[in-house]
Structures are given as C-alpha cells and as structure tokens.
C-alpha cells in the first residue's frame, strides 16, 4: 500500500539517512560488528497504526479485576490508561464460546453457567458483573474501540442468529447511560477459534459442546453476517451503514501445509497454525462456502492468532532455555511468512475481483507450553516473552493491511496478563509485566498521525537456530538486531531490539539536520542472566534511561551513540530543526 501523499517531500523532511549498530555476537564475544540500518528509498511511507496496541479483556473475575464491587478498579484503570486507546476485545478468546450476553445486562443478574476452558466440558458459575454496558462504559473512559465476539457454538443456526441480533438491538436501544453516550460497536468477530469435528486433534483439544464441522461453521458464519447486517440496516435506517465482521481464519499450518508426522515429544502436530488443532482444509471450506452465499464482501478482516514458539503440551524432553530463547527470537520471521501465505491463499482461491479483507491479529503473545505446572509455562511473563511482543509490534507496523492487533491479555489470566493483581489484603499489590512495557514503547512509537519509515537492516547473524521448535521455524541466518522508525513533523522515534543473549550493542545513528531539542532514550532489559526470570520483580525487566551522546560537528548532520544491553529493546526520540 502506498502512502497517499506527496512522497517526494517526506525523505527530506525526515532527514534520516542511516543508523549504525555495533553489536557483539554471542558466538564471538570479543568481536564487534557494525549493523547498518538505512532508509529504504524504494518504499513509500505508510500511516502509523495506533490500533496495533490493543488488548483482550475477558469478563470472568470481574474483567480480570478491572471491575470490582460495581465500579472500576482505579489502580488498574490508571495502568490501562498507560496503553493509550487501542481496540479492546470482549468477552475475549474462548470465554466467548459460552458467553450469554443476556445474563450480563440489567439487574439482578443470575449466576450464569459457562465453560472456563475450551479443552474441557467442565462448568463454572459466576455473575457477569463486567457485562456489555460496563465494558462499553470502560471503553468510553479509555477512548478505545470495542470489538465484540459472538457466541457461535451454543444452539443451532437460528438460535445463534437470534441471540446475535438481540445483542445488536440492545446496543441500539441503549445508546447511553447516566454519564453520557456509550460507544457504538462496529466490529463483530464471529467467535474465537473454530473447534472442528474430524480434525486429528479434536479428541484431545476441544470440548464436545464446541464441535462443528468446517461446513457447519462456514454456513453459520454466512447466516450470522447476512442476518446481522440486515438487522443493523433496519435499526439504523441506513442501508449503506455496514458492520465490520472479523472472520476467524487459519491455514493448515504455519507453512501452509499440514505436517503429517507429529513430533514424538508433543501431544499434537506443533506446526498447526492455531492452538486448537490442525483444522485441515478449514480455510478453503470457509471461503468457498461464503463465496457461494455471496458473503465474501461482508468480511472486514480475517482474524489470525500468533503465539510463539507454541510448543504445546510437552510430554518429555523440553527444549533447553537457550534453544527456547532463540526460538522466541525467530518467531516473528515465521509470523511474517505466514501472513504472506494468507495473502497468497486469498489470491489463489478468490482472485483479485473480490478485494482481500484486512487482517486482524486478535490474539498474540509468547507461549511456550500448555502443560500446566512446568517452569517453562511462566516464560510468557519474562523479558524474553516481552522481546517477542516488541518484535511483533515492529513487524506489524510495516504491514499496512493489518487493521488491528490485540495482546492476549489485559490483566491477570495466569502469566498472560500485561497487568497482574494480587487479591491479598491489605495492600492488594499491583504490578506490570515486561510485555506491558513493550506495549507502552509500541504506543510511543506508533503515535497518531505519524508515518512509519521503511528501513533496510544489515546485521550480524546468529546461525545456530536450525531446527524447528514448536511453531517457530528454523532461522539459520537470524539478524541480531531489528529496528523500526516513525516520524511526526520533524520528531523522529527509533526503536531498536538487541536480540543477542549475552552482549551489549553499541548504536550509532546519523541523521541529516541539527537537533532542536535534547534526546530522550529509554531501554527495557533483563537483569543479569535473567532472560527467563518471572519471580524476582527486580530482575524480570529493568527500565533505564539511555545515555545518548551527540555530535553535530559534521556538516549538516548529527550523530548519536548509545549502548543497548543484551535481550533489550529501546526507543530514542529527538526533534530536528
């Protein structure tokens, strides 16, 4: 996608000619390598997308403690405001599969039955205190975009359609509360991750109440989109107003074809491109059925989930920590290839006559194992996990067809919540995890009205990651640094990740122009030898100011230099005259 503006003026405005990063390789501890990062003048600048900084917000546990005793939990709310106003997805993931919105409005509210997990038929009962209108009010306070997921599994087609349309009617007939207008809901996701009959993994993964065949899910999706769009036109009295449907989608594997020989140490084919099983032929069956129903044009975006390295259920012989580390660092390369395979799939199976929908990354985070109790389960909440989140934001910033991205998840939720909260009197301690800090830095990078600067990156490589771990494919020439940059007016922001596990990186940045202001820089790093630490808060993730040296002696240019610690990401900001 080309930036629709006067492209020829932008490079001179930016004045960013080259960035040099010297970094010491893990394999050659005494050697330093220059890494050149330069503006790619062959590519156009695209608009920055603040909607890449989104979150999943579930309803159980009062919205993960965001809502308590009938009101907003203010300490957590203040932390949520630190992540700007991107999209919030509700009722979040598998909790949508048994969500009864009717039990979550008005008062009194019953103890509603739901299934806490998609992998079990176990039932739980809880009042939905953080319901539709409370969530919309929360979005209003944060100025965020609500994304609602439809329960696609409970009931037959007619019952699912009727329940969804009544939800639309409720929102239309409750446009405000005692404080003021509530946000409208444009984005509707058709469920979460389809759990399919007949897949090789279905007996291990999905609860019986979730089972649908590929064709059943596709038929249901077509009926829901058609009926909801008609109901929306009726309610708004505007036939041109369109809802934005997000369609769950998956190729058969990260590579685009299913691996037929599952790894012996894991309980299922770990190259499967979702966390719920192989879904063989799901993408084609879905698109073919929607094409026959003339519903392809109703799809606003395809929903994709990206967890890395996603080993799954470890049966024996888990990878060692160093191997897990490099599998995490390689994860975004697998994601980038998979995104392109999704584009290629659409072109091959639909063609160009129907424009491809946008892409919504409705869930992403690091994920190491689904086996509860293993120490590797906690790696999600480590600095290494945050490096994956930061690198994902960097990657997605350069994908103009990605509409939004939402981290799994906002708060609590095991190791996944960006914010953790302990319900322990009297202090009720609250703290943020490393991936919260990655989201904050992404927010600072992807500001509204900024332009994303295309970069060329030449970097030394780590050559030891040659065997696939989980879903993270081999990357034998893995660059030890990645970077992104944005520009607003004459203010430049440069993000750099040092992926080396043991060595500092020395950054030298040279730009055209003189400084108008001082340089601000921040780095997020792990404590010494604590890349996978999750227990010691002082070591998990350390935030420091970056001392940045500047030199304006060169004619018309300014140079900057600073150090990047191992396993770190950092952002510097400066304004040119």
């Amino acid at each position: 996608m080309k930036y629709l503006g006067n492209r020829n003026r932008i490079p001179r405005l930016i004045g960013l000619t080259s960035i040099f990063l010297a970094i010491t390789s893990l394999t050659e501890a005494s050697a330093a390598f220059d890494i050149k990062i330069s503006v790619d003048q062959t590519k156009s600048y695209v608009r920055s997308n603040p909607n890449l900084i989104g979150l999943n917000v579930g309803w159980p546990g009062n919205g993960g403690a965001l809502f308590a005793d009938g009101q907003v939990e203010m300490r957590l709310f203040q932390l949520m405001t630190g992540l700007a106003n991107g999209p919030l997805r509700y009722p979040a993931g598998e909790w949508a599969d048994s969500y009864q919105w009717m039990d979550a409005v008005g008062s009194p509210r019953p103890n509603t039955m739901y299934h806490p997990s998609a992998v079990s038929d176990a039932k739980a009962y809880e009042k939905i205190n953080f319901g539709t209108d409370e969530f919309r009010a929360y979005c209003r306070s944060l100025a965020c975009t609500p994304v609602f997921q439809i329960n696609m599994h409970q009931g037959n087609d007619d019952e699912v359609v009727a329940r969804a349309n009544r939800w639309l009617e409720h929102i239309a007939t409750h446009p405000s509360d005692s404080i003021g207008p509530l946000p409208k809901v444009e984005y509707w996701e058709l469920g979460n991750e389809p759990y399919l009959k007949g897949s090789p993994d279905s007996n291990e993964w999905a609860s019986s109440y979730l089972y649908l065949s590929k064709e059943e899910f596709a038929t249901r999706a077509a009926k829901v989109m058609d009926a909801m769009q008609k109901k929306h036109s009726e309610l708004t009295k505007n036939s041109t107003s369109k809802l934005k449907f997000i369609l769950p989608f998956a190729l058969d594997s990260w590579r685009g074809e299913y691996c037929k020989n599952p790894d012996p140490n894991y309980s299922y084919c770990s190259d499967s491109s979702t966390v719920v099983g192989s879904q063989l032929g799901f993408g084609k069956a879905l698109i073919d059925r929607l094409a026959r129903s003339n519903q392809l044009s109703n799809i606003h975006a395809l929903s994709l989930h990206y967890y890395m390295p996603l080993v799954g259920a470890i049966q024996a012989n888990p990878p060692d920590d160093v191997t897990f580390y490099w599998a995490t660092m390689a994860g975004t390369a697998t994601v980038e290839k998979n995104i392109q395979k999704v584009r290629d799939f659409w072109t091959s199976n639909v063609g160009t006559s129907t424009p491809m929908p946008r892409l919504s990354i409705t869930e992403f985070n690091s994920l190491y194992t689904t086996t509860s109790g293993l120490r590797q389960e906690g790696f999600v909440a480590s600095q290494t996990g945050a490096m994956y989140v930061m690198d994902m934001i960097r990657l997605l910033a350069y994908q103009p067809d990605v509409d939004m991205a939402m981290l799994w998840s906002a708060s609590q939720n095991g190791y996944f919540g960006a914010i953790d909260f302990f319900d322990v009197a009297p202090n009720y301690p609250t703290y943020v995890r490393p991936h919260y800090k990655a989201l904050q830095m992404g927010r600072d990078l992807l500001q509204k009205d900024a332009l994303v600067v295309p970069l060329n990156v030449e970097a030394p490589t780590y050559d030891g990651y040659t065997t696939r771990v989980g879903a993270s494919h081999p990357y034998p020439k893995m660059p030890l640094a990645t970077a992104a940059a944005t520009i607003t007016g004459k203010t430049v922001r440069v993000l750099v990740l040092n992926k080396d596990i043991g060595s500092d990186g020395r950054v030298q940045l040279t730009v055209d122009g003189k400084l108008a202001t001082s340089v601000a820089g921040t780095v997020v790093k792990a404590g010494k030898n604590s890349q996978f630490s999750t227990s010691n808060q002082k070591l998990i993730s350390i935030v420091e100011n970056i001392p940045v040296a500047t030199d304006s002696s060169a004619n018309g240019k300014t140079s900057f230099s600073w150090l990047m610690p191992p396993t770190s990401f950092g952002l510097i900001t400066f304004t040119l005259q």
Side-chain angles (χ1 to χ4, degrees):
M1 179 181 293
K2 296 291 185 181
Y3 167 63
L4 300 178
N6 189 339
R7 178 179 175 272
N8 294 328
R9 294 181 57 194
I10 297 172
R12 190 171 296 274
L13 174 68
I14 291 177
L16 189 61
T17 56
S18 61
I19 302 170
F20 298 92
L21 172 65
I23 190 169
T24 305
S25 168
L26 179 65
T27 57
E28 297 182 61
S30 61
F33 298 86
D34 288 337
I35 301 173
K36 183 178 180 180
I37 306 172
S38 58
V39 175
D40 187 343
Q41 301 289 0
T42 68
K43 296 180 180 178
S44 298
Y45 298 77
V46 297
R47 291 287 182 192
S48 169
N49 184 2
N51 281 338
L52 298 180
I53 313 300
L55 291 160
N56 277 268
V57 176
W59 70 262
N62 288 317
L66 296 179
F67 195 76
D69 299 323
Q71 59 187 358
V72 171
E73 212 297 330
M74 289 308 299
R75 286 170 301 168
L76 272 66
F77 179 78
Q78 291 301 320
L79 292 172
M80 288 288 285
T81 62
L83 298 178
N85 56 351
L88 295 185
R89 181 176 179 245
Y90 175 90
E94 61 193 2
W95 293 315
D97 297 325
S98 55
Y99 180 72
Q100 299 291 335
W101 73 265
M102 304 82 68
D103 292 341
V105 295
S107 61
R109 298 184 185 177
N111 270 341
T112 188
M113 187 281 291
Y114 72 103
H115 297 276
S117 173
V119 302
S120 169
D121 281 330
K123 299 177 182 179
Y125 294 84
E126 184 179 339
K127 287 184 180 180
I128 307 178
N129 296 317
F130 193 59
T132 296
D133 297 331
E134 289 83 8
F135 175 75
R136 292 167 70 205
Y138 202 82
C139 282
R140 175 182 59 200
S141 299
L142 290 172
C144 78
T145 301
V147 179
F148 277 16
Q149 293 172 266
I150 300 164
N151 179 347
M152 295 286 287
H153 290 277
Q154 290 184 310
N156 59 34
D157 290 354
D158 291 341
E159 290 168 332
V160 170
V161 165
R163 184 170 59 232
N165 274 349
R166 289 198 302 272
W167 205 1
L168 269 181
E169 289 175 344
H170 173 84
I171 291 170
T173 56
H174 293 78
S176 61
D177 61 13
S178 60
I179 296 175
L182 292 168
K184 295 180 180 179
V185 182
E186 293 183 288
Y187 293 93
W188 294 86
E189 187 175 356
L190 301 171
N192 179 43
E193 295 159 339
Y195 307 86
L196 302 178
K197 294 176 181 175
S199 82
D201 310 314
S202 61
N203 289 334
E204 297 181 26
W205 274 97
S207 305
S208 59
Y209 79 96
L210 292 173
Y211 285 150
L212 292 171
S213 70
K214 296 186 289 287
E215 292 75 16
E216 286 170 337
F217 182 85
T219 298
R220 184 166 294 184
K223 289 182 178 180
V224 169
M225 284 194 292
D226 183 58
M228 288 186 70
Q229 195 61 67
K230 290 176 179 176
K231 174 60 70 173
H232 176 68
S233 297
E234 173 190 322
L235 292 169
T236 60
K237 296 181 173 57
N238 184 348
S239 60
T240 62
S241 176
K242 299 294 184 182
L243 297 174
K244 296 179 178 180
F245 291 109
I246 302 173
L247 182 71
F249 187 80
L251 300 175
D252 287 344
S253 80
W254 296 105
R255 297 172 299 181
E257 58 185 27
Y258 183 60
C259 64
K260 297 180 181 179
N261 298 308
D263 300 317
N265 290 331
Y266 314 124
S267 66
Y268 76 111
C269 178
S270 56
D271 197 41
S272 169
S273 63
T274 74
V275 298
V276 295
S278 58
Q279 305 202 36
L280 291 175
F282 169 67
K284 184 163 179 29
L286 185 63
I287 295 305
D288 288 350
R289 177 66 181 84
L290 293 177
R292 293 196 302 272
S293 303
N294 296 316
Q295 290 297 315
L296 289 181
S297 61
N298 261 335
I299 305 169
H300 170 74
L302 301 178
S303 169
L304 302 170
H305 290 180
Y306 288 123
Y307 292 95
M308 288 287 165
L310 188 58
V311 169
I314 297 176
Q315 302 300 303
N317 304 319
D320 60 62
D321 288 1
V322 172
T323 300
F324 253 144
Y325 177 85
W326 290 113
T328 309
M329 297 304 102
T332 53
T334 300
V335 170
E336 184 172 20
K337 291 177 182 177
N338 186 260
I339 288 175
Q340 185 55 50
K341 287 185 178 297
V342 171
R343 296 178 183 125
D344 295 343
F345 173 91
W346 185 273
T347 301
S348 298
N349 289 274
V350 179
T352 58
S353 59
T354 300
M356 180 177 169
R358 295 177 67 79
L359 304 175
S360 290
I361 316 304
T362 55
E363 292 181 23
F364 77 99
N365 206 329
S366 66
L367 193 157
Y368 295 87
T369 176
T370 55
T371 302
S372 180
L374 291 182
R375 57 182 287 270
Q376 291 87 352
E377 185 186 17
F379 289 176
V380 176
S382 70
Q383 175 70 6
T384 297
M387 289 285 288
Y388 172 70
V389 171
M390 188 79 266
D391 209 30
M392 273 290 291
I393 293 170
R394 173 205 61 82
L395 169 67
L396 297 178
Y398 290 101
Q399 312 300 316
D401 54 349
V402 173
D403 190 42
M404 58 180 66
M406 287 153 277
L407 181 82
W408 183 268
S409 58
S411 61
Q412 293 191 312
N413 193 14
Y415 292 102
F416 289 104
I419 302 167
D420 205 3
F421 173 82
F422 288 97
D423 190 14
V424 179
N427 296 321
Y428 302 98
T430 299
Y431 66 91
V432 300
R433 288 179 166 140
H435 38 288
Y436 177 96
K437 298 166 187 176
L439 291 175
Q440 273 195 316
M441 197 165 284
R443 173 207 63 187
D444 294 340
L445 176 72
L446 300 174
Q447 295 188 15
K448 185 180 179 181
D449 299 327
L451 298 174
V452 181
V453 182
L455 300 176
N456 285 318
V457 180
E458 300 173 24
T461 61
Y462 173 73
D463 300 336
Y465 185 62
T466 57
T467 302
R468 177 172 64 86
V469 174
S472 183
H473 281 238
Y475 197 179
K477 297 289 184 181
M478 188 190 313
L480 290 176
T482 55
T486 61
I487 177 79
T488 307
K490 293 187 177 181
T491 298
V492 180
R493 304 169 198 88
V494 181
L495 170 74
V496 179
L497 290 89
N498 176 2
K499 295 186 177 183
D500 197 294
I501 199 171
S503 302
D504 287 342
R506 186 179 65 251
V507 184
Q508 185 177 356
L509 164 68
T510 303
V511 303
D512 291 332
K514 299 293 184 179
L515 274 179
T517 62
S518 60
V519 184
T522 303
V523 66
V524 180
K525 67 177 186 178
K528 186 176 181 179
N529 299 321
S530 297
Q531 286 88 355
F532 282 113
S533 175
T534 58
S535 58
N536 188 333
Q537 292 302 308
K538 294 181 179 179
L539 295 179
I540 290 178
S541 186
I542 301 169
V543 181
E544 294 180 342
N545 292 329
I546 303 175
V548 180
T550 62
D551 181 359
S552 298
S553 59
N555 184 28
K557 297 181 182 294
T558 301
S559 296
F560 309 83
S561 58
W562 70 93
L563 285 177
M564 289 285 294
T567 317
S568 69
F569 47 90
L571 184 74
I572 72 163
T573 303
F574 56 88
T575 301
L576 301 172
Q577 293 179 358

